């Protein structure tokens, strides 16, 4: 496996720079100023997010609030070879707001594929895949990083869910989308893509809904974006 330093750029995409080594050991962050106010957009140098530098540190996701404060989540293998989900909060200047913290409350089984979304006020929700326990799950946190209850099930493990993605509106209402490896109703060639909307309190808004209408080939690796008013758009690969 290769070592990858993950640099977060202004469009919030992770770009790994690979070097020969034994494991993914860390994440770095690079801040950018607004395009209209800086010719050189970088603000300072990149900095490492994770404390643990043993075993794999990988599968990173980041979200920011309206003030530019942000939270980074990732999968770490330093506590368990099956993986745990960690997070760390930062202010808009890139100063850490406390230490890294464990996101998942379940101490057993595989935890992987995290994604995070933030409301305008800094409250955030993390989703990930916990296939040995619950399937796709979510856990809510306040703007101070305090947990708002334990993780809760979004996609049942009987559907063999994978690759969850999440987006939130300005009030903290959010939508989760994910791949269902066992397929969706009326689709003879799984996997398919489904979604579920939630209030800012974590209550389901309606039922789970099917997104992919094409029934040939595989529909996989969804992504989602949500506007301030709660409108959202979902993309996925059609293979």
């Amino acid at each position: 496996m290769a070592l990858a330093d993950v640099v977060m750029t202004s469009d919030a995409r992770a770009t790994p720079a690979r070097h020969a080594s034994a494991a993914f050991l860390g994440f770095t962050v690079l801040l950018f100023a607004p395009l209209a106010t800086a010719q050189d957009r970088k603000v300072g140098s990149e900095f490492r997010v994770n404390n643990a530098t043993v075993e794999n540190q990988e599968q990173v996701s980041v979200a920011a609030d309206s003030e530019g404060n942000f939270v980074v989540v990732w999968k770490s293998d330093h506590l368990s070879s099956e993986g745990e989900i960690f997070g760390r909060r930062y202010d808009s200047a890139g100063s850490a707001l406390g230490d890294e913290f464990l996101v998942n409350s379940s101490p057993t089984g595989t935890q992987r594929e995290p994604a995070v979304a933030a409301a305008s006020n800094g409250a955030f929700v993390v989703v990930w895949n916990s296939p040995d326990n619950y399937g796709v799950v979510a856990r809510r946190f306040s703007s101070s990083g305090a947990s708002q209850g334990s993780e809760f099930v979004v996609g049942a493990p009987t559907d063999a869910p994978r690759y969850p993605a999440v987006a939130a509106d300005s009030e903290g209402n959010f939508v989760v989308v994910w791949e269902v490896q066992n397929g969706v109703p009326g689709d003879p060639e799984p996997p398919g893509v489904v979604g579920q909307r939630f209030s800012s309190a974590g209550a389901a808004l309606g039922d789970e809904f099917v997104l992919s209408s094409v029934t040939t080939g595989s529909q996989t690796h969804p992504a989602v974006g949500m506007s301030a008013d709660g409108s959202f758009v979902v993309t996925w690969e059609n293979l």
Side-chain angles (χ1 to χ4, degrees):
M1 192 173 291
L3 167 66
D5 294 326
V6 177
V7 177
M8 304 311 298
T9 64
S10 57
D11 61 0
R13 292 178 294 185
T15 305
R18 298 187 180 275
H19 313 281
S21 184
F24 292 97
L25 297 184
F27 299 117
T28 58
V29 170
L30 186 62
L31 299 183
F32 285 72
L35 296 180
T37 61
Q39 182 176 0
D40 181 4
R41 297 180 297 155
K42 290 189 293 184
V43 181
S45 300
E46 61 193 51
F47 54 91
R48 195 178 71 199
V49 173
N50 54 292
N51 285 340
T53 56
V54 295
E55 303 301 335
N56 294 331
Q57 315 290 325
E58 56 188 350
Q59 299 178 1
V60 67
S61 178
V62 64
D65 66 19
S66 61
E67 301 299 319
N69 307 303
F70 59 97
V71 59
V72 185
V73 298
W74 68 96
K75 172 183 174 287
S76 174
D77 293 340
H78 79 277
L79 293 183
S80 166
S81 61
E82 295 181 294
E84 306 282 355
I85 307 302
F86 277 82
R88 197 169 193 184
R89 297 167 51 246
Y90 291 85
D91 66 18
S92 58
S95 297
L97 299 173
D99 205 348
E100 63 183 41
F101 56 92
L102 185 64
V103 173
N104 56 283
S105 56
S106 174
T108 60
T110 300
Q111 322 290 332
R112 66 190 184 195
E113 300 163 5
V116 61
S120 295
N121 67 358
F124 60 96
V125 58
V126 185
V127 299
W128 68 96
N129 187 11
S130 182
D132 299 329
N133 296 319
Y134 312 114
V136 169
V137 295
R139 193 174 191 185
R140 297 165 46 249
F141 295 84
S142 71
S143 58
S144 66
S147 172
Q148 305 296 291
S150 298
E151 60 208 44
F152 56 93
V153 177
V154 175
T158 53
D159 292 331
R162 287 207 68 181
Y163 308 123
V166 61
D169 66 17
S170 61
E171 301 300 318
N173 306 300
F174 60 97
V175 60
V176 185
V177 297
W178 65 96
E179 173 191 308
V180 178
Q181 294 183 78
N182 288 344
V184 298
D187 185 349
E189 296 185 43
V193 175
V194 299
Q196 175 70 62
R197 295 171 55 244
F198 293 88
S199 72
S200 59
L205 298 174
D207 296 326
E208 178 182 304
F209 52 91
V210 176
L211 287 155
S212 52
S213 58
V214 175
T215 58
T216 57
S218 298
Q219 287 72 51
T220 182
H221 291 86
V224 60
M226 180 174 271
S227 65
D229 66 1
S231 303
F232 61 93
V233 60
V234 184
T235 64
W236 61 89
E237 296 178 21
N238 186 29
L239 303 177

